[in-house]
Amino acid sequence: MRVLITGAAGFLGSHLCELFLSKGHQVIGMDNFITGHARNLAHLAGNPDFTFIRHDVSDFIFVPGHVDAVLHFASPASPNPASPYGYTNLPIQTMKAGALGTHNALGVARANKARFLLASTSEIYGDPQVHPQREDYWGHVDPNGERSVYDEAKRFAEALTMAYHRFHGVETRIVRIFNTYGPRMDLNDGRVVPNFLKQAIEKKPLTVYGDGQQTRSFCYVSDLIDGIYRLLLSDEHNPVNIGNPTENTVMELAEEINRITENPAGIIVKKELRLGHDPQRRRPDITRAKTILGWEPKVSLAEGIQKTIPYFKERMSQDD
Ligand code: NAD
Ligand code: UDP
């Protein structure tokens, strides 16, 4: 296959590029570096099967030659308002990547009769009132709350993807990604794993927002990427949750990271919430992924954190 991956210079996009190349496919990576970095793709530069196009997906996308699949991953993804990479600091760009970017990427798929896969998110469930979250749950989202620029852009993107499937017959896939972490996450994008790992490696106290009893379910990147590949090759056009069903409180995550890194500095509970409508509980029901894709995650939280630490240490020793 010849595959277009938008958001290629980001955390997940760069791992996707690697996976497709390792399976013998040709990859065109596209990114405008708004939250991603050229260094995430530097090791692919000499690969004859890899080409890179610097482009904002919110503008019309032109790809020379035929493509067989389009994976649309371009979007800011961190909710942290303390980071310049947080989507609340890039609100219009976030809505445009989800709306105009999805429209343009679907257009490429339609013109090429290619498969299309949308990177959707557990955020479309909002602060969920059903737990764990199954794909048939419609969600609990404030359409103009602080997180809405991201949540509603992704909900629109899902609706547009289904419209292209139903009306134009495009072979579409929708993956609802739950919190994923691993090497090449941006150290400064403010998400919980990079924040905690950076603090722990510097032997500083970990900052917990709220009471720390809010939960997330953390998936290691190799598990996620495997699930996405299986979904693309499947016949499933309905949304599929991909994530790790092991649920932890944010406090438990902090304690685990301090234990693994032997950080004696402890935890600071900030009390105030970082952002309104912080989801209180989040865990994927992965029955659909198990049944349809034969997929389930293999890497435990402790293993995944261990695998991620060397990357963080290396990045922290460099200053680019
Ligand atoms: P990331 O910020 O590392 O990667 C996003 C990439 O998209 C960056 O390289 C950025 O420069 C690029 N981009 C953003 N807007 C663009 C535009 N207009 N044109 C071209 N490129 C653009 O974040 P990530 O964690 O790798 O997330 C990738 C995708 O997966 C996003 O769509 C995100 O919503 C989705 N997702 C991620 C998670 C997770 O836990 N990592 C969870 C749910 C959904
Ligand atoms: N969080 C925290 N300390 C931090 C960063 C995040 O306690 O330094 C909390 C945040 O308030 C949220 C959870 O960790 O409840 C997950 O945050 P993240 O930014 O990783 O993503 P989200 O799942 O909220 O989109």
Side-chain angles (χ1 to χ4, degrees), residues 7-264:
F11 163 48
L12 298 180
S14 63
H15 286 278
L16 275 174
C17 290
E18 266 174 11
L19 180 88
F20 278 88
L21 290 168
S22 76
K23 302 254 184 208
H25 304 297
Q26 291 182 312
V27 173
I28 306 151
M30 180 170 284
D31 207 291
N32 67 350
F33 301 125
I34 189 169
T35 62
H37 305 276
R39 65 166 180 267
N40 287 338
L41 298 172
H43 60 297
L44 304 179
N47 189 324
D49 288 330
F50 182 71
T51 43
F52 180 76
I53 302 174
R54 183 172 186 160
H55 180 70
D56 183 334
V57 295
S58 303
D59 297 328
F60 181 85
I61 300 174
F62 173 73
V63 181
H66 181 75
V67 295
D68 303 291
V70 178
L71 289 93
H72 181 43
F73 276 68
S75 169
S78 165
N80 199 332
S83 163
Y85 298 137
Y87 55 66
T88 49
N89 293 317
L90 303 167
I92 316 296
Q93 293 95 325
T94 302
M95 296 219 71
K96 285 172 79 175
L100 305 179
T102 304
H103 188 218
N104 290 329
L106 277 162
V108 175
R110 184 181 174 215
N112 283 273
K113 296 193 172 16
R115 282 186 182 213
F116 177 85
L117 185 144
L118 172 71
S120 185
T121 167
S122 52
E123 281 279 330
I124 64 103
Y125 300 120
D127 186 5
Q129 293 175 314
V130 169
H131 191 79
Q133 290 79 55
R134 280 166 39 134
E135 290 88 345
D136 56 9
Y137 175 49
W138 294 351
H140 181 225
V141 177
D142 178 348
N144 50 48
E146 289 177 284
R147 302 174 81 107
S148 63
V149 292
Y150 183 70
D151 302 3
E152 294 296 0
K154 292 288 187 181
R155 288 169 70 97
F156 175 88
E158 285 203 12
L160 192 63
T161 301
M162 288 309 287
Y164 267 67
H165 174 70
R166 293 185 180 121
F167 192 72
H168 288 313
V170 175
E171 274 296 325
T172 57
R173 312 283 179 263
I174 297 174
V175 57
R176 290 188 181 149
I177 302 168
F178 283 65
N179 296 63
T180 300
Y181 67 97
R184 299 207 203 102
M185 278 195 108
D186 191 291
L187 270 64
N188 300 312
D189 81 6
R191 285 184 270 189
V192 68
V193 171
N195 266 14
F196 283 179
L197 273 181
K198 216 168 54 165
Q199 290 162 339
I201 292 167
E202 287 173 342
K203 304 288 180 220
K204 289 183 177 159
L206 275 48
T207 52
V208 166
Y209 296 109
D211 60 5
Q213 294 312 300
Q214 68 272 39
T215 68
R216 295 293 186 274
S217 303
F218 296 98
C219 186
Y220 187 67
V221 61
S222 58
D223 281 333
L224 179 89
I225 298 296
D226 172 42
I228 290 172
Y229 191 73
R230 288 173 190 238
L231 177 59
L232 182 73
L233 299 188
S234 78
D235 294 326
E236 184 57 52
H237 62 265
N238 290 307
V240 178
N241 290 337
I242 300 279
N244 193 314
T246 305
E247 184 180 1
N248 288 106
T249 64
V250 167
M251 189 61 80
E252 285 166 350
L253 174 72
E255 285 163 356
E256 183 70 348
I257 289 182
N258 273 345
R259 185 187 66 75
I260 293 171
T261 56
E262 298 178 356
N263 177 22

